Amino acid sequence: MGDPKEAGAEASPPGAATRGGLSLLSQAESEEPSAQGSALFLGGNEVKSRAVVKYSSAPPRTAFARLEEKTDLKLPPANWLRESAKLGPAGTTILGNSKKSKPFSSFGMAYDFIDSVGNDVDVVSDSENIKKLLKIPYSKSHVSMAVHRIGRTLLLDELDIQELFMRSSQTGDWTWLKEFYQRLIDQKWQRKKKSKEHWYQKAILSKFLYYSINGDGAAQPVPSPAEQQESSSSDQSHESEGASWPAPFEMPSSVSEDPSASSQGREPLEPSCIVGHVASAPKEQNLTTLFNDGENSQGLKNDFVRNILWTFEDIHMLVGSNMPIFGGGRYPAVSLRLRDNNKPINVLTGIDYWLDNLICNVPELVMCFHVNGIVQKYEMIKTEEIPNLENSNFSTKVIKDIAQNILSFLKSNCTKEGHTYWLFKASGSDIVKLYDLTTLCEETEDKYQNPFTMPVAILLYKVACNMMMKKNQNKKHYGTIRTLLLNCVKLLDKSRHPQIIASANYMLSELFQLDEPKKEESSDSPLNENSDESYSEEEEEMPDSDENGTYSTSSDPADDNKAVAIIKSVGELSVPEKYKSIHQIRPSCAFPVCHDTEERCRLVLSYVLEGLKSVDSSIKKESDLPAADPSTPIPLKYEDESTRGGPEGLEKQMALFLDKMGSLQKGNCSRQSGMTPGSWQHKMKLQLILKSSKAYYILSDAAMSLQKYGRALRYIKLALQSHDTYCCLCTNMLSEVLLFLSQYLTLCGDIQLMLAQNANNRAAHLEEFNYQTKEDQEILHSLHRESSCQGFAWATDLSTDLESQLTVSCKCYEAANEILQFSDLKSQNPEHYVQVLKRMGNIRNEIGVFYMNQAAALQGERVVSKSVSAAEQQLWKKSFSCFEKGIHNFESIDDATNAALLLCNTGRLMRVCAQAHCGAEDEFKREFSPEEGLYYSKAVDYYLKALRSLGTRDMHPVVWDSVNWELSTTYFTMATLQQDYAPLSRKAQEQIEKEVSEAMMKSLKHCDVDSATARQPLCQYRAATIHHRLASMYHSCLRNQVGDEHLRKQHRVLADLHYGKAAKLFQLLRDAPCELLRVQLERVAFAEFQMTSQNSNVGKLKTLSGALDIMVKTEHAFQLIQKELVEECDQPKNDEATPAADSSPNLNREEVIKLLSIFESRLSFLLLQSIKLLSSSKRKMSSNTEEDTVLQTNKQIYSQLLRATANRNSTLLERIEVVICLLEQLASGSSMSNSSAAP
């Protein structure tokens, strides 16, 4: 396209010599105009104008040669229409002999400066169009322009009605517009030919410009008449071929089906190559050109000598200009004009010259006057003086108002992107009308007859692509991009342009971020971010046309209902801010608000589906493919293994992995649709399939969070099916794609686990799993064109078997971990790797617990004394293996807490094994077996390992307390079994008692009774029970032991100590009155046993007194029992058939009755013995008031007790109330005796 040049007018080379009859202007030092443009003060009114050259293909400026007077411009110079080094590649274009403005000239500029379109620039057009628009109020000439809106940018192109209608007469195209034009505008239309004067003026202007750049002398041979004729015909041919209109854009069927095939005949305008990975590509990736040279030649090429970013007041325009700029000497940049001295300059010409100089930032104008082609004089005029020329006086402020009003009018009414609007003013008319040609065209049989359709669609696409490149920098443009793409797709015929439609739909799907929370910016994302300001915007201006006879003047019906908008009088355009209020309308292109993840994903999938349909429709069926020639060898691509890089290694590993998973099908799955690897269909379908898999993954994850596990499994199945198809098609596996697969399998494992844990809702989950939308079915149909989609079927089956679900879940995690291992993704994604290992450890724990519970169930079903079955042992092994692997998983990621929990479960498994061996023996010959001892010891080891793994309680108090409790329970169970089923056949009594004592004390050590936790009552009960059992054991030893008095004394002290501690702990508990009563009764029995070995009455009396005190302390237990019995009586008896013994879950009536009977008998015995001792003859001889009081009290209580026990009709509650009453009397009598003895 040429190198960009500096802003402002182009610099001229210094030092041009004077030769022959041509005198060059003298050269002086002069700075080049500023690259930043200039602000000009014209006629006392300031109008801001700034021009920056964005591109220029012109050679360095040439100093113009000042022609001598009397030079005859009718004679051609020797260099006329010839190549010259001074002209450069632009050739005759620079000298004004260019063809007429092409119908797509603005599109060519827009393609080259895509960054400016849609946002920064208000207008893109040829400078001639800009000028023509700004001269509307001054000119009676016709105006006919095509207007297109892309974002906030308007593209203006000349719409040559004559050329269109001539084409219509030849080809039949545009007949609808011709009929419309003749019906509403000009009923007697006919072709108007240009006058001879027009061609004469054009010829001498061309010769004048060639004279002005000729530095070789004036005495040049004049071309022969034949050459002149040739030149004239050449000049006319340029004009006649001017606006060459292409046919309506069509894509031959052969091209639409196979874009790679070469087209026959003319070059199709469908791009031969589209952007395949635009949205997901890195920012630095270049967009592929959409049009090749053949297409550019059809009118889509930017063939202006220079493209200028012109800011006129607050209007930003990208303008194409071919105006010749000369320079040299004192005049670094001037425009050169030829005027007939007999014709004064009018306002139209003055505006024309002024705007040209402003647009190109040229400070001066050189005018050469002639009479009948004979040069008369030169005149130098500054640009800011042009508005004040005689006969050409105009207000620059009015021009500014016209520009702002026209732009406001167009932006207010050209609101639909992709539509072609027609701005038309008939010659001699003051009414300007705006029509929507797209709407008119759609009313015809073929709505694709509009030739602007394809260029507009391509431009919409390219602008969207460009903005997509920057989407991460400015997400506020998402609404704009979406609108651009939707309008692009709306314009195109799906059957003719599948490639663009597929790519556009893919980019639409890329706009929705699936991996992060949606940030709605609906209010900040209109197509033009600054749309409030953009409506003081500038309009495009078109070239002035002094020919008034081209179109016949016609009456403009005021009731033209086909027009979108009408300017009733061109005079309105000169009124400041006349259309200001209208243009504040904002385009509706807010980004859609997705209220939840599912809605967002569904939108993505709808675009993916449309893209897949486009791709699939463009792929030839196998039956349409040419048969292979048996005589032609099939080329095989051999490649040195040493040159193969990492991705190929990944593919091998992936193939091995899929084979291991039982899902490798690559033999014939990647060619089912006949899609060629490397084709645009192949690349695009890969991207679309990958996008669909991501969307389904996000949907599955969202369903998981809603506990819709059947739906979640359905979505993850679709995600894995999409990924399986991707693997079949992909020839270069990327590590990030493998990471996606690992994530999908991880989520699938989670879902299967949750389904296993929620088996009670299986019917609902099954219904959700089997439901499928039409959209999902169509996407799956597209996937099935490439693959059977069964690669991961094993992972997504909804099984009714719990073991199967847990096993599948575990296999999913293992597969996810294996992918991370062979692709070395674990180092790149440490967080995901840790999560996978945690899940592996967790599922192995779940499976281990499942097998352990099954073993325990088998044990419960086993007949008593039957040996351990092989099935139980097999389940133990499976459970142990799972726990061991899970522990290894957690230890590999330093997760001490979870490792401790699995060690704890392993300890529990050992206890289950021990219990199995316990039940395998005859209950009557029961002894604590060595196998039980072995498994309990192993359980203790695992619990201790768990505590070592945790280190301290501070690391995780809850887990620490749980492990401690299980360890205490294990020690307690071991001690209890050894105590209850003493292995006397293998061990001595003393050794057993020692082992029991040690185990009990260890259990007590790990039983935390002081911490105020939820488990504190259990710990207190456990500790009280341990003390009770130890006291009972020492009590039993004391009864059975003969001989060693020291050992007897030690046992007596220990028994008394543990009885005391047990009673103290049981008193803290409100729900263990029977246990407390039993302990106290055993203490009384212990006292009675001690009394039997005493000889003196004093000692016996003292022991009896202590025993009665213990009896008094049982009052607390009886009060608790009484309270519970009263609560039972107060409860409404709804079910009379319920047995009384079962009416209270916390109170065993039978046990209470048994203990009460024992208590009454022991209290009766103690009172009787006390009365006997106090009434003995030895006591009567001595007077003792205290003993007398006790004796009387004991007699009364004994009497009442005998009467109460004799009454067999008393209820349990009445009996307990009597006992409480007696105990209160006994306590008060004891206190009275103590108080009387105090003095």
Side-chain angles (χ1 to χ4, degrees):
M1 186 169 177
D3 297 329
K5 296 294 188 289
E6 70 284 349
E10 297 146 319
S12 60
T18 303
R19 295 183 185 160
L22 299 176
S23 62
L24 298 182
L25 293 176
S26 61
Q27 176 159 353
E29 294 294 330
S30 175
E31 290 188 4
E32 190 175 327
S34 166
Q36 299 304 316
S38 60
L40 304 180
F41 297 85
L42 309 171
N45 296 324
E46 180 182 353
V47 176
K48 297 178 183 177
S49 175
R50 178 174 178 267
V52 178
V53 176
K54 302 291 285 184
Y55 161 79
S56 175
S57 62
R61 277 191 299 275
T62 304
F64 73 94
R66 186 164 184 168
L67 305 182
E68 294 181 353
E69 290 186 19
K70 309 302 181 183
T71 301
D72 189 356
L73 297 178
K74 294 191 292 295
L75 300 176
N79 65 340
W80 191 37
L81 303 180
R82 294 180 182 176
E83 295 290 337
S84 169
K86 295 180 182 180
L87 300 181
T92 57
T93 302
I94 295 178
L95 297 184
N97 291 336
S98 63
K99 294 181 286 185
K100 229 175 148 184
S101 175
K102 293 183 179 179
F104 301 108
S105 60
S106 68
F107 289 90
M109 280 191 288
Y111 293 155
D112 287 342
F113 299 99
I114 204 73
D115 277 336
S116 301
V117 178
N119 188 29
D120 301 329
V121 173
D122 298 302
V123 176
V124 178
S125 184
D126 185 345
S127 61
E128 299 301 310
N129 298 335
I130 301 288
K131 291 188 293 181
K132 180 174 279 192
L133 275 182
L134 294 186
K135 291 186 295 185
I136 283 180
Y138 300 94
S139 172
K140 294 295 183 181
S141 299
H142 78 283
V143 175
S144 176
M145 293 187 195
V147 185
H148 297 89
R149 182 172 196 141
I150 307 293
R152 66 170 280 189
T153 303
L154 295 177
L155 277 69
L156 301 180
D157 294 281
E158 182 179 5
L159 191 60
D160 191 335
I161 296 295
Q162 290 192 25
E163 180 69 25
L164 285 180
F165 292 171
M166 285 186 64
R167 177 181 177 82
S168 175
S169 301
Q170 298 169 4
T171 64
D173 298 332
W174 291 92
T175 52
W176 59 273
L177 183 58
K178 183 176 180 180
E179 293 172 0
F180 169 75
Y181 179 83
Q182 290 178 332
R183 185 173 69 252
L184 292 181
I185 299 170
D186 187 358
Q187 298 178 357
K188 298 179 180 180
W189 174 85
Q190 59 181 0
R191 173 79 173 178
K192 303 291 184 180
K193 295 185 178 180
K194 297 184 183 294
S195 63
K196 291 183 179 181
E197 177 65 18
H198 168 79
W199 298 115
Y200 167 73
Q201 293 295 337
K202 192 171 181 65
I204 67 167
L205 173 61
S206 174
K207 294 168 186 175
F208 165 68
L209 291 173
Y210 271 92
Y211 270 121
S212 298
I213 57 101
N214 181 17
D216 297 332
Q220 298 291 340
V222 176
S224 65
E227 289 176 327
Q228 293 185 36
Q229 179 64 29
E230 181 184 346
S231 299
S232 176
S233 63
S234 172
D235 188 28
Q236 293 186 28
S237 69
H238 280 306
E239 182 68 26
S240 64
E241 69 181 359
S244 175
W245 281 84
F249 285 85
E250 296 177 357
M251 186 179 195
S253 58
S254 61
V255 177
S256 65
E257 292 180 357
D258 187 6
S260 62
S262 60
S263 58
Q264 301 296 325
R266 67 177 183 85
E267 191 74 14
L269 286 169
E270 165 68 12
S272 59
C273 154
I274 208 78
V275 180
H277 309 282
V278 171
S280 59
K283 295 176 195 147
E284 62 271 10
Q285 178 178 339
N286 294 323
L287 288 175
T288 308
T289 305
L290 289 175
F291 294 97
N292 58 28
D293 293 338
E295 293 154 353
N296 287 337
S297 66
Q298 294 292 325
L300 300 176
K301 184 179 179 181
N302 179 8
D303 55 2
F304 291 102
V305 172
R306 63 185 66 82
N307 301 125
I308 301 161
L309 189 59
W310 181 39
T311 303
F312 184 57
E313 286 295 314
D314 56 351
I315 306 173
H316 307 284
M317 292 177 266
L318 181 61
V319 181
S321 174
N322 290 326
M323 186 181 76
I325 300 177
F326 296 86
R330 294 186 299 115
Y331 313 104
V334 296
S335 58
L336 198 57
R337 301 287 181 171
L338 181 66
R339 292 297 303 174
D340 190 336
N341 204 23
N342 295 326
K343 296 179 181 179
I345 299 175
N346 59 23
V347 172
L348 294 176
T349 306
I351 294 174
D352 197 62
Y353 292 171
W354 181 68
L355 288 174
D356 267 334
N357 278 18
L358 281 189
I359 291 171
C360 296
N361 203 25
V362 176
E364 292 177 296
L365 165 68
V366 174
M367 230 175 322
C368 176
F369 293 91
H370 74 95
V371 175
N372 295 325
I374 307 299
V375 174
Q376 299 297 314
K377 62 177 180 177
Y378 279 86
E379 185 176 337
M380 185 77 70
I381 304 170
K382 291 184 178 180
T383 301
E384 60 265 32
E385 295 173 355
I386 296 175
N388 300 318
L389 293 177
E390 186 179 357
N391 300 322
S392 178
N393 188 280
F394 60 90
S395 169
T396 59
K397 295 287 284 183
V398 171
I399 301 297
K400 179 200 73 171
D401 293 336
I402 293 169
Q404 291 178 337
N405 281 327
I406 290 177
L407 183 62
S408 297
F409 172 77
L410 290 177
K411 285 214 168 182
S412 300
N413 297 291
C414 302
T415 56
K416 297 179 181 178
E417 275 188 317
H419 279 225
T420 299
Y421 292 90
W422 180 26
L423 186 71
F424 179 77
K425 182 178 86 71
S427 180
S429 172
D430 284 343
I431 299 176
V432 182
K433 297 182 180 180
L434 184 70
Y435 297 95
D436 185 348
L437 293 187
T438 301
T439 304
L440 296 174
C441 183
E442 285 174 351
E443 296 173 1
T444 66
E445 294 181 1
D446 185 1
K447 69 176 183 177
Y448 299 104
Q449 273 204 3
N450 184 350
F452 284 102
T453 298
M454 187 62 182
V456 172
I458 293 298
L459 185 56
L460 289 168
Y461 177 84
K462 290 190 73 170
V463 172
C465 286
N466 185 63
M467 296 178 78
M468 282 291 285
M469 293 290 194
K470 305 172 184 176
K471 66 172 183 172
N472 292 328
Q473 301 172 9
N474 192 355
K475 294 184 178 179
K476 289 190 289 186
H477 289 317
Y478 277 13
T480 303
I481 298 171
R482 178 175 179 271
T483 304
L484 290 168
L485 292 171
L486 287 176
N487 287 327
C488 170
V489 171
K490 193 186 300 181
L491 287 173
L492 297 174
D493 184 358
K494 293 182 180 180
S495 62
R496 298 176 180 178
H497 313 293
Q499 194 172 358
I500 305 178
I501 291 176
S503 183
N505 277 293
Y506 173 68
M507 284 194 288
L508 281 166
S509 72
E510 278 289 280
L511 290 175
F512 297 85
Q513 298 301 300
L514 298 178
D515 52 352
E516 63 185 33
K518 182 64 181 170
K519 296 179 181 178
E520 304 301 345
E521 301 181 60
S522 57
S523 60
D524 298 328
S525 59
L527 196 59
N528 175 16
E529 185 182 341
N530 303 318
S531 57
D532 279 335
E533 305 167 4
S534 69
Y535 283 107
S536 56
E537 297 156 270
E538 328 77 274
E539 251 320 284
E540 310 76 270
E541 304 123 75
M542 294 197 121
D544 131 281
S545 172
D546 291 338
E547 309 133 345
N548 294 329
T550 308
Y551 297 91
S552 63
T553 305
S554 63
S555 61
D556 298 322
D559 59 347
D560 184 359
N561 57 5
K562 295 289 185 180
V564 174
I566 296 176
I567 298 176
K568 295 182 179 179
S569 172
V570 292
E572 294 179 354
L573 296 175
S574 303
V575 180
E577 300 187 356
K578 171 68 176 177
Y579 293 94
K580 186 75 174 179
S581 60
I582 302 175
H583 70 62
Q584 296 295 346
I585 303 170
R586 293 191 179 198
S588 173
C589 60
F591 198 67
V593 178
C594 297
H595 297 288
D596 57 24
T597 303
E598 183 166 1
E599 184 180 353
R600 189 160 67 247
C601 291
R602 278 292 163 197
L603 270 173
V604 169
L605 289 170
S606 67
Y607 294 132
V608 167
L609 176 58
E610 290 303 316
L612 289 173
K613 286 180 178 178
S614 296
V615 173
D616 292 341
S617 67
S618 68
I619 301 173
K620 288 187 175 181
K621 298 179 181 178
E622 290 186 9
S623 57
D624 299 333
L625 295 174
D629 184 0
S631 62
T632 304
I634 299 174
L636 298 176
K637 295 182 180 180
Y638 292 100
E639 188 174 356
D640 186 1
E641 287 292 328
S642 62
T643 65
R644 297 177 70 85
E648 288 77 6
L650 277 182
E651 289 164 26
K652 289 183 179 178
Q653 293 286 348
M654 188 64 182
L656 291 173
F657 166 75
L658 292 173
D659 187 41
K660 181 179 179 181
M661 293 292 111
S663 57
L664 185 60
Q665 318 158 26
K666 287 208 171 185
N668 56 4
C669 66
S670 60
R671 300 292 180 269
Q672 290 184 11
S673 68
M675 191 162 55
T676 307
S679 63
W680 74 263
Q681 291 101 329
H682 182 262
K683 294 176 182 177
M684 181 54 62
K685 193 156 190 177
L686 276 175
Q687 294 298 320
L688 290 167
I689 289 173
L690 190 60
K691 190 70 179 180
S692 69
S693 71
K694 292 179 187 177
Y696 282 126
Y697 168 72
I698 300 298
L699 280 171
S700 180
D701 190 49
M704 264 287 284
S705 63
L706 296 174
Q707 299 181 357
K708 303 290 185 181
Y709 304 122
R711 186 193 307 173
L713 185 63
R714 167 164 56 90
Y715 284 138
I716 202 64
K717 179 177 182 178
L718 288 164
L720 286 170
Q721 286 176 324
S722 299
H723 202 285
D724 182 41
T725 306
Y726 182 93
C727 291
C728 284
L729 292 176
C730 187
T731 56
N732 186 14
M733 190 66 65
L734 299 176
S735 58
E736 66 172 0
V737 177
L738 293 179
L739 178 61
F740 292 150
L741 179 56
S742 178
Q743 291 170 342
Y744 300 168
L745 289 170
T746 303
L747 180 59
C748 187
D750 293 346
I751 296 167
Q752 291 285 9
L753 176 58
M754 297 312 296
L755 285 168
Q757 294 177 349
N758 292 269
N760 51 341
N761 291 329
R762 194 178 302 279
H765 296 322
L766 185 61
E767 183 180 355
E768 287 181 338
F769 177 71
N770 291 327
Y771 174 78
Q772 203 168 47
T773 65
K774 182 180 179 182
E775 190 175 71
D776 295 338
Q777 291 172 353
E778 291 180 342
I779 290 176
L780 195 57
H781 175 72
S782 180
L783 298 179
H784 281 147
R785 287 170 59 93
E786 315 301 335
S787 164
S788 63
C789 302
Q790 296 300 310
F792 299 96
W794 54 267
T796 54
D797 286 336
L798 183 55
S799 173
T800 57
D801 179 51
L802 179 59
E803 181 181 0
S804 174
Q805 287 177 318
L806 292 174
T807 305
V808 167
S809 177
C810 184
K811 189 176 178 183
C812 286
Y813 295 138
E814 289 171 348
N817 180 54
E818 189 171 345
I819 291 170
L820 294 177
Q821 296 287 348
F822 74 68
S823 61
D824 199 29
L825 283 169
K826 64 178 183 179
S827 57
Q828 302 171 24
N829 302 273
E831 292 183 4
H832 178 59
Y833 176 65
V834 168
Q835 288 301 317
V836 170
L837 284 184
K838 276 190 175 182
R839 284 168 163 79
M840 284 176 66
N842 178 61
I843 191 62
R844 283 168 171 165
N845 176 56
E846 292 287 339
I847 297 174
V849 170
F850 171 76
Y851 286 137
M852 180 170 63
N853 291 339
Q854 276 197 326
L858 281 179
Q859 176 186 326
E861 295 170 0
R862 192 175 62 206
V863 180
V864 179
S865 77
K866 187 178 180 181
S867 61
V868 178
S869 65
E872 283 183 79
Q873 293 180 346
Q874 191 64 29
L875 289 171
W876 295 345
K877 290 178 182 178
K878 287 182 179 180
S879 179
F880 181 76
S881 174
C882 290
F883 286 140
E884 199 172 37
K885 289 177 182 177
I887 292 166
H888 175 72
N889 292 144
F890 286 125
E891 287 178 345
S892 64
I893 55 174
D894 299 325
D895 190 345
T897 304
N898 281 318
L901 285 172
L902 262 73
L903 286 166
C904 188
N905 279 341
T906 312
R908 184 180 160 208
L909 174 64
M910 297 299 107
R911 287 162 58 192
V912 169
C913 297
Q915 290 166 9
H917 286 89
C918 164
E921 297 183 13
D922 190 348
E923 188 67 25
F924 299 103
K925 301 177 182 178
R926 173 85 169 89
E927 281 190 359
F928 186 71
S929 66
E931 290 81 5
E932 289 179 82
L934 174 65
Y935 282 116
Y936 278 122
S937 297
K938 286 184 177 181
V940 168
D941 290 340
Y942 282 113
Y943 289 131
L944 291 174
K945 282 182 183 178
L947 290 178
R948 285 196 295 271
S949 176
L950 291 171
T952 60
R953 185 177 185 273
D954 296 336
M955 183 173 180
H956 203 299
V958 175
V959 177
W960 177 275
D961 292 344
S962 178
V963 175
N964 245 340
W965 173 255
E966 294 296 331
L967 180 57
S968 172
T969 302
T970 305
Y971 278 126
F972 178 73
T973 305
M974 285 175 66
T976 303
L977 289 173
Q978 287 191 79
Q979 189 177 15
D980 294 346
Y981 304 101
L984 296 173
S985 62
R986 295 182 291 108
K987 296 180 181 180
Q989 179 71 33
E990 293 77 7
Q991 184 182 356
I992 294 172
E993 289 172 359
K994 182 181 178 182
E995 289 178 359
V996 169
S997 177
E998 289 176 354
M1000 288 290 189
M1001 295 310 294
K1002 287 179 181 178
S1003 177
L1004 199 59
K1005 174 186 173 183
H1006 293 285
C1007 192
D1008 185 7
V1009 295
D1010 299 323
S1011 299
T1013 62
R1015 195 179 274 117
Q1016 187 182 27
L1018 286 176
C1019 292
Q1020 290 173 341
Y1021 186 85
R1022 167 73 53 76
T1025 305
I1026 289 172
H1027 285 299
H1028 181 200
R1029 277 187 164 272
L1030 286 172
S1032 299
M1033 185 181 72
Y1034 291 128
H1035 185 183
S1036 177
C1037 291
L1038 188 62
R1039 282 176 178 276
N1040 299 328
Q1041 197 172 29
V1042 180
D1044 192 345
E1045 189 59 33
H1046 174 72
L1047 191 58
R1048 284 175 61 82
K1049 184 178 179 181
Q1050 185 179 4
H1051 285 168
R1052 186 183 302 113
V1053 172
L1054 288 172
D1056 188 55
L1057 173 67
H1058 286 297
Y1059 274 134
K1061 289 183 177 181
K1064 183 180 178 182
L1065 286 168
F1066 277 131
Q1067 281 180 336
L1068 296 175
L1069 300 169
R1070 302 179 60 84
D1071 55 353
C1074 294
E1075 287 82 353
L1076 175 59
L1077 187 57
R1078 186 181 294 106
V1079 169
Q1080 298 292 35
L1081 288 174
E1082 286 189 22
R1083 291 180 72 185
V1084 170
F1086 181 64
E1088 291 177 2
F1089 174 73
Q1090 286 180 303
M1091 192 174 66
T1092 57
S1093 60
Q1094 292 175 335
N1095 297 321
S1096 66
N1097 287 342
V1098 176
K1100 289 182 178 181
L1101 194 58
K1102 185 177 180 181
T1103 302
L1104 281 172
S1105 177
L1108 287 171
D1109 287 340
I1110 293 172
M1111 285 294 197
V1112 170
K1113 291 177 182 178
T1114 60
E1115 182 183 355
H1116 175 68
F1118 282 115
Q1119 287 174 343
L1120 291 176
I1121 294 171
Q1122 180 193 28
K1123 183 180 178 182
E1124 289 194 30
L1125 290 172
V1126 170
E1127 288 176 354
E1128 286 180 21
C1129 294
D1130 292 341
Q1131 288 177 357
K1133 298 181 180 180
N1134 297 328
D1135 189 359
E1136 297 294 338
T1138 304
D1142 297 331
S1143 60
S1144 175
N1146 298 323
L1147 191 64
N1148 189 334
R1149 281 177 170 268
E1150 293 180 359
E1151 186 177 8
V1152 170
I1153 293 170
K1154 180 180 177 182
L1155 290 173
L1156 180 58
S1157 300
I1158 296 172
F1159 178 85
E1160 289 172 342
S1161 66
R1162 300 328 300 162
L1163 179 59
S1164 175
F1165 173 77
L1166 291 175
L1167 288 172
L1168 180 59
Q1169 292 300 318
S1170 174
I1171 292 170
K1172 285 182 179 180
L1173 288 175
L1174 289 173
S1175 303
S1176 63
S1177 56
K1178 293 182 180 180
R1179 289 287 180 186
K1180 288 180 181 179
M1181 292 173 61
S1182 59
S1183 175
N1184 191 325
T1185 308
E1186 175 189 347
E1187 291 182 354
D1188 290 342
T1189 304
V1190 171
L1191 178 61
Q1192 292 301 321
T1193 302
N1194 289 353
K1195 284 182 178 179
Q1196 290 176 7
I1197 294 171
Y1198 182 66
S1199 174
Q1200 293 176 32
L1201 180 61
L1202 287 177
R1203 285 196 296 270
T1205 53
N1207 186 4
R1208 298 183 178 277
N1209 296 324
S1210 300
T1211 64
L1212 178 59
L1213 181 58
E1214 290 171 345
R1215 291 172 65 187
I1216 289 176
E1217 287 173 350
V1218 170
V1219 169
I1220 292 173
C1221 180
L1222 294 177
L1223 291 176
E1224 287 175 352
Q1225 293 179 35
L1226 188 61
S1228 61
S1230 176
S1231 61
M1232 286 176 61
S1233 65
N1234 290 337
S1235 60
S1236 61

